[in-house]
Amino acid sequence: SRKMASEDITKLAESLAKTKVGGGQLSFKGQSLKLNTAEDAEGVIKQIEEFDGLEALRLEGNTVGVEAAKVIAKALEKKSELKRCHWSDMFTGRLRSEIPPALISLGDALITAGAQLVELDLSDNAFGPDGVRGFEALLKSPACYTLQELKLNNCGMGIGGGKILAAALKECHRKSSAQGKPLALKIFVAGRNRLENDGATALAEAFGIIGTLEEVHMPQNGINHPGITALAQAFAINPLLKVINLNDNTFTEKGAVAMAETLKALRQIEVINFGDCLVRSKGAVAIADAVKEGLHKLKELNLSFCEIKRDAALTVAEAIEDKAELEKLDLDGNCLGEEGCEQLQEILEGFNMAAVLGSLSDDEGEEKEDEEEDDDEDEEEEEEEEEEEQQQLKERGQGEQESLTPKKIIDSQDSTPVPSPPVDIATFLAFPSPEKLLRLGPKCSVLIAQQTDTSDVEKVVTTLLRISSVFKDEAPVKTAVHETTDALMRKAFTSATFNSDAFITSLLIHMGLLKSEEKIKAVPSLYGILMTLNHMVQQDYFPKSLAPVLSAFVTK
């Protein structure tokens, strides 16, 4: 059977070759080059000039002066295919006055080249408000009409820089729309920039106009409830939002309630990070409400260090009951007290979701009465009402819980009860056959993915091998194997706790392509797994960086 496998190996090798980790990328990342003069930059320029089809240029971890930037820019004028500029941390130790002219040269070169950028990353460059002027022209130019990812983390932009940036984005959207292809920005990152309310409000205006955002990361910006409310209103008209990270800003109840209203309208949300945002109990209850009503794709909810008291925290826990995708709930650093922490764990155990709860080791304990003087006067009445509602919810909840738990396990957290199919997943995985896979029905891919603990690499490998072992090159079986593999591996590769390198190593051992200390029996036939890998490496969830490793072993 090893002979048979050789043409399958060739096929996989071809697919891997196409997933060039290069992807047209030239990298000087982390080389600590000190490029001051035109001479210093000669080596870099030569490589840029000789690189055909340059699509991505990495300059991070070097330091580029004005003169060097000018000559690098000259070389970039001919690179019309450039799409990704990974230019974070490339002005280490430069004076603030040097950065704008350097950025202007580079930006002008991209405009001259007629490049169509997809990603621009200028994070960790301390350019301050005036530095934004350095790439303002680039942002307003046709080179950025196609921009999908803009990353400006930790740049010291301040309120002034935030306003210039917002105006440039609006202008880019206006001009690109006039050309019939409006700016469709997907990812915006601007953490640690002291944007404060005014900067955040200006950007919110731009976001509202753009409307295509999928991820917004703006942690640690000193934004208070007016800025948070403005952002919330803008987010509401960005229906594709998946990730909102506003960690370490100050929501208070007002901001949290505004944000909760918005969350009710957003259907695609996967990650909410409002850790260290002082949402307080009332804000937490509002957010819990939004979570309960919708957010079926929610994977992560972080409300840590937010001064949330016990009852509100328990309301949050009760809200995640039907969230089948949830991987992480962080309520650490709040005011639950020991008993509250135990109750929280019990609620989640009742839903069979104990595993999603993060550590509670930094819980602040229940608050003393006298610390509450600084809260609003009207809060106490509201809290009494809250407690009554709480009580009713609890009484309602308990009856439901008892009746739900056993059924829950069968439907694996799906809201509509499904009659359990004659073949269950455990049987299929124990004795896999194509017939059993088909008999599991259309939901099998979701169920297998749900029931596999993706933080356990061995489990993922054995599950993948069992699924692929039934592969046949004909319609229903082939489709079922592909769909099940995709659901499982997409979950694995996107999970923070999944170690991709360990996965590849273990897989190679099980395929008999790598020796191991323990005696592990190699799979009897490589056909199924090779055909499945051939499909897998072509999917968007497969990390390109793993291609060379697989390639090296498979083509041995």
Side-chain angles (χ1 to χ4, degrees):
S1 82
R2 301 272 156 186
K3 286 271 181 306
M4 265 291 298
S6 70
E7 57 220 62
D8 306 328
I9 286 180
T10 318
K11 229 187 226 163
L12 174 57
E14 280 168 13
S15 298
L16 285 164
K18 287 197 196 98
T19 5
K20 272 214 306 267
V21 66
Q25 173 171 293
L26 174 59
S27 176
F28 299 95
K29 181 176 179 175
Q31 294 183 14
S32 305
L33 306 172
K34 293 194 172 37
L35 309 178
N36 297 320
T37 62
E39 260 164 13
D40 297 341
E42 268 170 17
V44 171
I45 291 163
K46 193 166 180 305
Q47 287 189 60
I48 291 175
E49 285 170 348
E50 289 171 5
F51 197 112
D52 276 342
L54 180 65
E55 291 185 13
L57 178 61
R58 288 194 173 271
L59 292 172
E60 60 261 69
N62 299 292
T63 178
V64 181
V66 178
E67 291 314 305
K70 275 193 182 136
V71 288
I72 291 173
K74 195 88 196 109
L76 287 177
E77 285 180 3
K78 304 204 171 43
K79 300 294 169 184
S80 61
E81 292 173 42
L82 191 62
K83 292 184 178 62
R84 297 185 183 273
C85 300
H86 302 279
W87 294 353
S88 61
D89 185 21
M90 58 175 263
F91 296 114
T92 317
R94 297 281 161 192
L95 298 173
R96 259 194 175 179
S97 56
E98 293 180 87
I99 298 175
L103 283 172
I104 288 169
S105 313
L106 292 164
D108 287 348
L110 297 175
I111 298 169
T112 306
Q116 296 194 303
L117 295 186
V118 174
E119 180 180 358
L120 176 61
D121 185 353
L122 290 167
S123 298
D124 301 314
N125 290 315
F127 48 58
D130 39 349
V132 183
R133 295 251 179 245
F135 59 94
E136 180 186 12
L138 173 63
L139 277 182
K140 293 177 178 176
S141 78
C144 284
Y145 292 178
T146 44
L147 198 63
Q148 293 179 14
E149 303 181 28
L150 179 58
K151 299 173 181 172
L152 299 163
N153 207 49
N154 190 27
C155 292
M157 286 192 289
I159 294 174
K163 287 182 171 173
I164 298 168
L165 174 61
L169 286 170
K170 287 201 283 197
E171 180 71 350
C172 176
H173 187 270
R174 190 184 64 74
K175 289 161 85 173
S176 55
S177 299
Q179 299 275 305
K181 35 178 191 256
L183 170 69
L185 194 65
K186 290 182 179 171
I187 297 176
F188 179 84
V189 181
R192 299 185 59 180
N193 270 297
R194 299 304 310 167
L195 292 169
E196 300 182 13
N197 288 331
D198 292 353
T201 304
L203 283 165
E205 228 175 278
F207 296 163
I209 292 167
I210 293 169
T212 50
L213 287 166
E214 293 178 15
E215 295 188 20
V216 176
H217 302 260
M218 294 171 69
Q220 255 190 350
N221 269 300
I223 308 169
N224 304 335
H225 73 81
I228 295 297
T229 303
L231 286 171
Q233 288 161 351
F235 291 167
I237 38 188
N238 279 270
L240 303 176
L241 267 173
K242 290 195 186 91
V243 178
I244 302 179
N245 173 4
L246 290 170
N247 191 291
D248 197 6
N249 289 293
T250 309
F251 282 42
T252 61
E253 293 85 340
K254 283 184 178 154
V257 167
M259 202 48 85
E261 273 311 300
T262 284
L263 290 174
K264 289 182 182 173
L266 296 175
R267 293 269 162 269
Q268 306 299 325
I269 288 286
E270 292 174 13
V271 177
I272 297 173
N273 183 344
F274 297 162
D276 227 343
C277 281
L278 201 66
V279 306
R280 299 210 176 109
S281 295
K282 207 166 138 195
V285 170
I287 291 166
D289 236 19
V291 169
K292 200 176 180 69
E293 278 183 29
L295 303 196
H296 295 296
K297 298 185 177 180
L298 190 64
K299 288 195 174 118
E300 209 174 294
L301 176 58
N302 181 346
L303 294 172
S304 58
F305 300 93
C306 274
E307 287 191 10
I308 300 169
K309 295 179 192 155
R310 182 182 72 187
D311 284 352
L314 299 182
T315 306
V316 172
E318 281 166 355
I320 64 166
E321 177 176 1
D322 291 320
K323 307 299 162 217
E325 306 286 321
L326 196 77
E327 288 162 19
K328 192 166 177 242
L329 171 64
D330 192 345
L331 286 167
D332 202 7
N334 286 302
C335 317
L336 278 68
E338 260 174 74
E339 199 183 321
C341 290
E342 280 165 25
Q343 285 174 305
L344 184 63
Q345 277 152 337
E346 276 165 25
I347 289 176
L348 294 171
E349 274 160 21
F351 301 154
N352 237 359
M353 291 173 79
V356 305
L357 186 61
S359 151
L360 296 169
S361 56
D362 283 325
D363 188 70
E364 303 275 337
E366 294 196 62
E367 287 205 345
K368 309 287 165 290
E369 289 310 303
D370 57 352
E371 283 175 27
E372 288 180 5
E373 287 161 24
D374 56 355
D375 286 3
D376 313 353
E377 290 86 317
D378 59 358
E379 195 155 287
E380 278 168 31
E381 294 162 34
E382 280 161 12
E383 272 182 11
E384 279 168 28
E385 286 167 29
E386 220 172 82
E387 276 167 23
E388 280 169 32
E389 280 169 38
Q390 225 36 63
Q391 216 28 60
Q392 292 164 359
L393 274 176
K394 278 213 194 84
E395 285 157 14
R396 276 220 306 279
Q398 271 156 0
E400 280 170 35
Q401 243 168 300
E402 284 149 29
S403 64
L404 274 177
T405 312
K407 224 202 221 89
K408 232 307 136 42
I409 296 163
I410 304 169
D411 328 341
S412 184
Q413 301 166 355
D414 193 284
S415 44
T416 51
V418 191
S420 88
V423 179
D424 65 359
I425 286 163
T427 320
F428 165 70
L429 290 176
F431 307 103
S433 75
E435 297 70 42
K436 282 194 196 125
L437 182 61
L438 294 174
R439 271 173 61 204
L440 280 172
K443 292 211 62 167
C444 77
S445 58
V446 185
L447 294 175
I448 288 181
Q450 270 177 2
Q451 290 183 20
T452 308
D453 172 6
T454 47
S455 61
D456 181 342
V457 170
E458 282 304 303
K459 272 235 175 61
V460 177
V461 170
T462 49
T463 308
L464 177 65
L465 287 169
R466 300 220 168 112
I467 296 166
S468 63
S469 69
V470 307
F471 181 88
K472 282 197 187 138
D473 204 356
E474 54 189 57
V477 179
K478 183 177 179 174
T479 313
V481 170
H482 284 174
E483 283 176 359
T484 313
T485 301
D486 288 345
L488 172 69
M489 296 316 300
R490 176 171 276 117
K491 176 184 170 187
F493 283 127
T494 52
S495 152
T497 51
F498 180 68
N499 182 337
S500 315
D501 296 328
F503 163 76
I504 293 288
T505 308
S506 168
L507 183 61
L508 291 167
I509 291 169
H510 282 277
M511 287 170 74
L513 301 175
L514 195 60
K515 296 273 175 288
S516 134
E517 302 297 306
E518 302 102 69
K519 280 270 163 277
I520 288 182
K521 221 163 70 77
V523 287
S525 154
L526 281 179
Y527 173 71
I529 185 62
L530 285 169
M531 297 306 280
T532 305
L533 281 172
N534 186 39
H535 165 78
M536 196 168 102
V537 301
Q538 298 176 58
Q539 306 309 304
D540 59 355
Y541 59 75
F542 183 77
K544 304 267 185 284
S545 57
L546 298 177
V549 192
L550 254 186
S551 198
F553 281 93
V554 171
T555 50
K556 259 191 181 163

